[in-house]
Amino acid sequence: MAAISSSTDPSSYEGFGPFMPGFELKALQDPNVAAFMVEPIQGEAGVVVPDQGYLTKVRELCTKHN
């Protein structure tokens, strides 16, 4: 449910549900954020591999912000 609730592309979520209530896309902007959800290799619009070092930087930010 969380994955489809996070999509901003109507063609990806139309016809699906229920969605998580109150789900918002925020990253390190709110001290109450409890998780960081990432799709390491995106396949929605072809195969999109993250830049070298992206996941390492994400880990560093998560550690920094506990």
Side-chain angles (χ1 to χ4, degrees), residues 23-38 54 58 61-62 65:
F23 190 92
E24 294 180 56
L25 296 177
K26 297 186 207 182
L28 307 175
Q29 299 171 359
D30 183 331
N32 297 313
V33 170
F36 181 87
M37 186 173 67
V38 64
Y54 172 78
V58 166
L61 287 169
C62 288
H65 293 275

Side-chain angles (χ1 to χ4, degrees), residues 7 14 17 19 23-24 30 34 38 41 51 59 62-63 66:
S7 179
E14 286 177 353
F19 302 110
F23 190 92
E24 294 180 56
D30 183 331
V38 64
I41 298 176
D51 293 336
R59 177 68 228 166
C62 288
T63 298
N66 197 24

Side-chain angles (χ1 to χ4, degrees), residues 1-13:
M1 282 182 16
I4 198 66
S5 296
S6 69
S7 179
T8 58
D9 180 6
S11 68
S12 295
Y13 61 74

